Amino acid sequence: MWRRYRAHLLLFVLALAGAQGWNRWNIAVMLRSPAAANVRDGRALISTDDASYLQGVDRLLGARADPDAAVPEGPSLRAPGYGALYLAARLLLDPLPAISALVWFQCLLYAFAAAFLWDTLLRRGIAARIRWPLLLAFALLPAFQGFLFHTLTEGVTPALGVLLLCCALRDEQAVHQRWLWAALGLWMLLMATRPALLWMGLALIPGLLRLGALRAALLSIAAATPMLLWWGSNCLRAGSLVGLHPVYWEGAPGINRPMHGSFWELAKSWGAPGDAFHGAMEPAFKAALACDTAASHADAFIALAPQGLLPEQQEAEIRSAFARWQRFNCLALAPALRSEAGTVPAATPEERSIVLDMERITSDWRRAHPVQHHLLVPLRVLKRMVAHSNLNLWVFQQTWRGLPWMEGFRWFSAVLHAAMLAAAALAFLLRLPATVRLISFGCAAYLFYLAYMQRGLEERYTLPVLFIGVVCAAFVAERLRSAIFTSSNPANA
């Protein structure tokens, strides 16, 4: 029986070896470099966001001295799914061994996704000449493995997305509904881990509709219940309606109040990258808390505007709103942070006035520069999403950068990355299985949202689409192969 699963086992081993090999090599190099501070005890990589995924569990289990005990509890920025995985490890292990267990789980999940995808493509009749190159690239290339040693949702959500799609594809051919139940469970976990990926449930529509509209609706609601309960609790904590990613809320004990969000909306209109925006606002915020409200702090924000496209009157209005934001932080927020309340619990009239003024300025600027806002900026963001190699490990970006073989590998990875994203976003235009077309449409809509609406994106946001792109590419290539075979053999048409 093992002979039947030789290819599956080979791909599982190759994917696991690739994930462990590239990442441990990267960590070994980082430990001998100035980047050693970004490695957690030689076990995992440290990023800005990972503490927000882990510290709640450590606090719950009493393993973290909490410096924020006096800060009022607000909505949770992170959905509970990833924290639940860490909690499962922490119930058995101390913090550092639990991190190692989480990293190993992410690598094993990725390796299993590679083997399971092979079996699914085999069942769907994808030719071996298509399966082997795609799956070997998926299993071995570090473009797919760069976040497996991070304690972030991207360590699990791309593989979960592939598994969901594979289960939905199997359900199309199945007599029983077990694959649909498995897909529903994976969708529930995805939504509870990264709510922004709820669009992956589009792959389940054909299977759900076979059950009837009422059962389909009830099962969809049941799958979304963990996410909805978390969202409801966030609304209660915030005291108002908040989004599924509640970055800005009125009682925030820090920079992320609605005023900050209104400045970000204007900066997004200009096409400012997220890191540049934060680089301008965060030093100004810290200075304002110490009552340093010098006008020079606005210069960095104004510098984000496209050269020559900010009229003097608008610049003066922005500087006025910026100065009022600084005064609020100095005179209202800073004393509140030191008080028993720990924050200004609700938006003040001055805050609302600043937000309204910034919304008006933003609307006026967008109306005056529609091409810049609606076309040029989204296209630049789309270029940043697509036109890179996805080789995010330190050794590729620092140690080996500039070496001839590394630059060749970088170009190869960039072409592969762009091709997979194109397959994911455009497959819905071809005559492919409904499941593939539906999730491809979801990928296209998600990329449009990132490029046009969110704009302040990070490289990891598109990783789930990259993984889905491997599946879509297999079906696109099979469709093209069949079309070429049919055209060259008219008797088989």
Side-chain angles (χ1 to χ4, degrees):
M1 182 178 177
W2 68 272
R3 290 180 179 273
R4 177 186 172 189
Y5 296 104
R6 284 181 301 179
H8 306 65
L9 183 59
L10 174 63
L11 286 167
F12 179 89
V13 171
L14 289 176
L16 185 60
Q20 287 284 325
W22 285 114
N23 280 282
R24 293 201 179 278
W25 192 356
N26 177 66
I27 283 178
V29 173
M30 290 179 69
L31 288 173
R32 300 192 299 269
S33 75
N38 295 322
V39 180
R40 183 184 281 110
D41 193 44
R43 301 168 187 265
L45 299 174
I46 300 173
S47 64
T48 304
D49 291 341
D50 59 9
S52 61
Y53 289 104
L54 307 179
Q55 65 186 13
V57 173
D58 289 335
R59 185 186 302 125
L60 176 67
L61 298 178
R64 179 176 182 266
D66 194 353
D68 302 322
V71 174
E73 186 178 15
S76 172
L77 185 61
R78 307 301 178 188
Y82 194 79
L85 294 175
Y86 179 54
L87 176 61
R90 282 288 287 110
L91 291 174
L92 301 174
L93 302 167
D94 290 333
L96 287 176
I99 293 292
S100 294
L102 188 57
V103 165
W104 268 101
F105 172 78
Q106 291 173 174
C107 293
L108 289 167
L109 182 67
Y110 162 72
F112 178 74
F116 196 66
L117 176 56
W118 167 270
D119 190 74
T120 302
L121 296 181
L122 180 64
R123 289 170 182 255
R124 294 304 302 244
I126 305 298
R129 69 183 68 178
I130 296 172
R131 291 197 313 274
W132 274 114
L134 276 175
L135 267 297
L136 286 175
F138 182 67
L140 292 173
L141 293 181
F144 298 98
Q145 302 161 348
F147 286 95
L148 292 175
F149 271 55
H150 282 272
T151 47
L152 300 167
T153 56
E154 284 74 20
V156 296
T157 52
L160 291 175
V162 167
L163 292 174
L164 182 152
L165 180 53
C166 287
C167 289
L169 286 167
R170 288 164 178 256
D171 179 64
E172 284 187 336
Q173 297 178 319
V175 176
H176 302 291
Q177 296 166 356
R178 64 182 182 217
W179 292 116
L180 178 60
W181 303 127
L184 278 166
L186 289 164
W187 188 38
M188 178 175 66
L189 183 55
L190 266 171
M191 287 188 288
T193 303
R194 189 76 172 179
L197 299 178
L198 63 87
W199 56 267
M200 286 193 173
L202 290 171
L204 278 65
I205 289 178
L208 287 171
L209 290 181
R210 288 197 296 271
L211 303 178
L214 180 59
R215 289 188 68 191
L218 291 175
L219 287 171
S220 298
I221 293 171
T225 295
M227 180 190 72
L228 293 174
L229 290 174
W230 164 77
W231 175 61
S233 70
N234 265 352
C235 292
L236 291 174
R237 289 177 180 178
S240 62
L241 191 66
V242 296
L244 288 174
H245 189 57
V247 177
Y248 307 111
W249 56 286
E250 288 191 351
I255 192 173
N256 289 329
R257 297 175 73 91
M259 291 181 296
H260 187 68
S262 67
F263 282 103
W264 173 225
E265 284 300 313
L266 178 58
K268 286 197 296 185
S269 306
W270 295 338
D275 55 353
F277 171 74
H278 295 305
M281 297 296 289
E282 289 177 6
F285 175 73
K286 292 177 181 177
L289 290 181
C291 285
D292 175 3
T293 58
S296 58
H297 291 296
D299 294 342
F301 180 76
I302 296 295
L304 300 175
Q307 190 170 5
L309 295 185
L310 187 63
E312 289 185 8
Q313 180 182 348
Q314 278 192 339
E315 179 177 338
E317 292 174 341
I318 294 168
R319 288 185 179 277
S320 173
F322 197 93
R324 289 155 60 201
W325 170 72
Q326 290 174 297
R327 287 196 298 272
F328 170 84
N329 292 325
C330 167
L331 301 177
L333 186 58
L337 293 178
R338 296 189 294 268
S339 71
E340 186 177 348
T343 186
V344 178
T348 66
E350 177 65 6
E351 281 188 277
R352 293 192 180 97
S353 175
I354 294 171
V355 170
L356 287 175
D357 285 349
M358 288 302 301
E359 287 176 349
R360 177 184 53 79
I361 293 168
T362 300
S363 179
D364 290 345
W365 195 91
R366 291 176 178 179
R367 207 164 31 243
H369 304 91
V371 175
Q372 178 80 11
H373 171 66
H374 294 295
L375 183 63
L376 297 182
V377 170
L379 286 176
R380 285 204 298 270
V381 176
L382 183 63
K383 180 182 176 182
R384 290 204 302 270
M385 284 196 295
V386 175
H388 61 83
S389 66
N390 215 49
L391 299 175
N392 64 301
L393 297 182
W394 169 271
V395 287
F396 301 128
Q397 295 300 321
Q398 301 292 331
T399 308
W400 299 334
R401 195 176 187 92
L403 297 177
W405 70 268
M406 182 66 245
E407 295 311 301
F409 187 42
R410 188 185 310 282
W411 276 102
F412 172 78
S413 297
V415 170
L416 178 69
H417 178 261
M420 294 301 101
L421 291 186
L426 301 176
F428 74 95
L429 299 174
L430 303 177
R431 292 175 58 188
L432 297 174
T435 295
V436 176
R437 295 183 70 186
L438 284 165
I439 203 166
S440 169
F441 179 79
C443 288
Y446 178 62
L447 292 176
F448 174 81
Y449 167 78
L450 291 177
Y452 185 79
M453 300 296 295
Q454 184 159 335
R455 303 193 182 197
L457 57 91
E458 297 179 33
E459 191 173 294
R460 58 193 173 97
Y461 292 171
T462 59
L463 196 60
V465 178
L466 177 63
F467 276 49
I468 295 297
V470 176
V471 188
C472 292
F475 283 90
V476 170
E478 180 62 32
R479 174 67 182 166
L480 295 176
R481 188 190 71 86
S482 299
I484 294 171
F485 178 76
T486 301
S487 64
S488 62
N489 297 273
N492 294 319

